[in-house]
């Protein structure tokens, strides 16, 4: 994904453009898995919407919340290539590239790379078909 905006969780939650990204467990499978889950009260307490990240009874799952809000920004992008269950291999020239890795292990791992690596990764990204190409691999039953 090419990042076009960086929002706080509250901005994401309250922005009408992303209302459909709020989980709706009474709707379709895809709507139930919306990612607009977290926001804060005026007092700064974190709220977690009833979702696949909360417990089955809708209760707060602290482990998921703490992991999910580890980075206090929501990244927005319309220019993306999502392959899901039809994932394609990362080109050999990008694994590793001058000690840089396109997909390092773990979340929030790093956010700066050499200019040569950025150029090589951008060139590959530009060659990809854009948009959602397939559903996530654990949604195979919906295909």
């Amino acid at each position: 994904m090419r990042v076009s905006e960086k929002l706080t969780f509250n901005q994401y939650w309250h922005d009408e453009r992303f209302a459909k990204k709020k989980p709706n467990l009474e709707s379709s499978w895809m709507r139930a898995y919306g990612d607009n889950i977290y926001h804060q009260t005026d007092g700064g307490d974190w709220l977690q919407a009833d979702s696949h990240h909360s417990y089955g009874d809708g209760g707060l799952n602290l482990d998921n919340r703490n992991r999910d809000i580890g980075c206090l920004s929501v990244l927005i992008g319309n220019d993306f290539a999502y392959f899901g269950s039809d994932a394609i291999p990362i080109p050999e020239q990008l694994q590793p590239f001058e000690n840089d890795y396109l997909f390092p292990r773990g979340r929030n791992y790093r956010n700066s790379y050499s200019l040569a690596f950025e150029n090589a990764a951008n060139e590959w990204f530009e060659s990809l078909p854009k948009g959602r190409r397939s559903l996530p691999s654990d949604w195979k039953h919906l295909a």
Side-chain angles (χ1 to χ4, degrees):
M1 175 179 79
R2 188 176 315 282
V3 176
S4 58
E5 285 183 78
K6 180 178 166 182
L7 304 176
T8 66
F9 281 91
N10 276 357
Q11 288 170 322
Y12 189 51
W13 179 264
H14 293 292
D15 192 318
E16 284 300 314
R17 294 176 298 165
F18 308 111
K20 288 185 176 181
K21 302 288 282 175
K22 291 179 182 177
N24 181 344
L25 301 179
E26 304 297 319
S27 186
S28 70
W29 182 268
M30 191 174 294
R31 287 289 311 272
Y33 275 81
D35 68 357
N36 195 349
I37 298 169
Y38 301 99
H39 62 287
Q40 291 177 285
T41 65
D42 290 339
D45 294 325
W46 283 98
L47 301 175
Q48 179 185 60
D50 190 3
S51 67
H52 65 286
H53 283 243
S54 57
Y55 288 117
D57 65 358
L60 172 66
N61 183 319
L62 281 172
D63 289 336
N64 282 343
R65 187 204 61 190
N66 292 341
R67 182 194 66 237
D68 293 343
I69 64 169
C71 175
L72 296 178
S73 299
V74 177
L75 303 179
I76 307 297
N78 295 314
D79 189 13
F80 65 94
Y82 180 81
F83 290 88
S85 60
D86 292 331
I88 61 173
I90 304 300
E92 282 186 36
Q93 70 267 22
L94 295 177
Q95 324 175 26
F97 181 95
E98 299 177 358
N99 296 317
D100 277 329
Y101 295 84
L102 189 58
F103 296 108
R105 304 274 187 251
R107 295 175 74 155
N108 307 323
Y109 183 76
R110 74 186 276 198
N111 59 10
S112 63
Y113 299 90
S114 70
L115 183 58
F117 181 76
E118 286 183 21
N119 288 337
N122 278 325
E123 184 177 321
W124 176 61
F125 177 76
E126 290 301 326
S127 74
L128 298 173
K130 300 303 187 281
R132 189 184 76 209
R133 313 311 298 173
S134 183
L135 292 173
S137 58
D138 56 346
W139 290 14
K140 287 181 183 176
H141 65 283
L142 297 178

